[in-house]
Amino acid sequence: MTDFRSRCIAPEPLAGLFCAIPHPTGVEICAATGPDFLCLDGEHAPIDRERAEEMIRAAQLHRVPVIMRVPGHLPDSIAGALDSGADGVLVPRVSTADEARAAVAATRYPPVGVRGVGPGRAAGFGYRIPDYLATANSRILLAIQAETPGALENIEEISTVEGVDVIFIGPGDLGVTLGALGPEGRPKLMAAITRITKVSRAAGKAVGMFCASPDEVQGWRELGITFFLIGNDARHLADAAGAAVARAREGF
Ligand code: 3PY
Ligand code: MG
């Protein structure tokens, strides 16, 4: 097991960032700031297979663990990210235990799963296939997202699926799909997040949360959440750039 997967499962509190700017320079800049991990956003950003490999390499230059949010739970979504050398995957919109089991199967080599063996970057382009095979199943992190009414309803079953390491809550999709938006929707959203967290922790899973702002982290820590993704690179760039221009104009 890598330090990273062990730290996630332990669970240790970890602060990561999404990388949505589809270029290795953005990843390298984020990696150099010392996050616990990075997550390339292959669900919402235009990151193709070749670019993902370059971005993974940029994170690894700074020895920062890097996972990729893939488009879905099937092997064709997951295989490329892992073959490119990602340390794990984050699988969005998992609503049933069957979908969670499919994500496990796509992430692990036989006999646990159905991941295909090949000469990708992760396996030294074919030069280190046996070495990679020997450790991949125990080193690769699988985080799945709970962010739909189905996930909320099925969380007891989903959280007992073996091979799922982290249950990551997407408050944006959860709020939209539950119709729990704005201040009026807050109690319903909080009840859903509390239920997902308590059931998952009781089943021994680590729980993660997307936070638009780092100020949200402490409250979620008190609920038992440990695996955090704090905004994304594009948003942090926009915040810092906007604040710098506004500050400059104070001197006009
Ligand atoms: C959501 O809030 O829906 C997310 O997926 C956050 O990453
Ligand atoms: Mg989402």
Side-chain angles (χ1 to χ4, degrees):
M1 203 179 276
T2 53
D3 273 355
F4 176 57
R5 185 174 179 228
S6 326
R7 291 176 74 200
C8 295
I9 291 173
E12 250 182 59
L14 299 170
L17 303 168
F18 268 120
C19 293
I21 298 174
H23 198 278
T25 301
V27 175
E28 194 176 349
I29 291 168
C30 289
T33 67
D36 291 314
F37 68 104
L38 294 173
C39 181
L40 313 186
D41 193 356
E43 182 191 17
H44 292 301
I47 303 173
D48 66 17
R49 172 79 197 276
E50 193 176 340
R51 184 51 64 91
E53 191 155 307
E54 291 165 3
M55 292 170 75
I56 290 167
R57 195 179 278 124
Q60 291 172 345
L61 202 65
H62 289 274
R63 300 188 188 285
V64 173
V66 56
I67 65 174
M68 181 150 186
R69 177 154 69 176
V70 292
H73 59 270
L74 297 176
D76 30 343
S77 292
I78 292 176
L82 296 181
D83 279 0
S84 287
D87 298 299
V89 285
L90 174 62
V91 179
R93 296 182 315 283
V94 171
S95 297
T96 65
D98 278 348
E99 289 175 359
R101 279 188 280 271
V104 173
T107 304
R108 313 281 178 217
Y109 286 119
V112 181
V114 297
R115 185 177 167 197
V117 180
R121 175 175 177 269
F125 300 99
Y127 187 67
R128 284 196 291 271
I129 289 179
D131 295 348
Y132 183 69
L133 273 179
T135 60
N137 277 1
S138 62
R139 285 192 315 102
I140 298 294
L141 180 81
L142 173 60
I144 61 167
Q145 286 196 239
E147 53 181 352
T148 60
L152 179 62
E153 191 183 326
N154 298 320
I155 193 63
E156 276 86 359
E157 219 193 328
I158 291 173
S159 62
T160 56
V161 172
E162 209 175 316
V164 169
D165 301 319
V166 176
I167 299 195
F168 182 82
I169 298 167
D173 275 310
L174 195 57
V176 169
T177 55
L178 290 176
L181 296 174
E184 318 80 64
R186 188 76 188 161
K188 189 174 180 185
L189 184 58
M190 277 303 299
I193 290 172
T194 303
R195 170 169 149 73
I196 292 169
T197 303
K198 295 231 151 103
V199 171
S200 302
R201 290 299 300 129
K205 302 296 191 208
V207 177
M209 173 64 86
F210 175 75
C211 298
S213 154
D215 299 338
E216 297 169 24
V217 167
Q218 191 178 349
W220 298 131
R221 273 294 294 125
E222 284 158 14
L223 195 61
I225 296 175
T226 47
F227 178 97
F228 294 100
L229 277 161
I230 315 299
N232 73 23
D233 50 4
R235 175 65 193 270
H236 295 309
L237 178 60
D239 285 349
V245 170
R247 180 91 181 96
R249 286 181 179 146
E250 285 171 20
F252 282 3

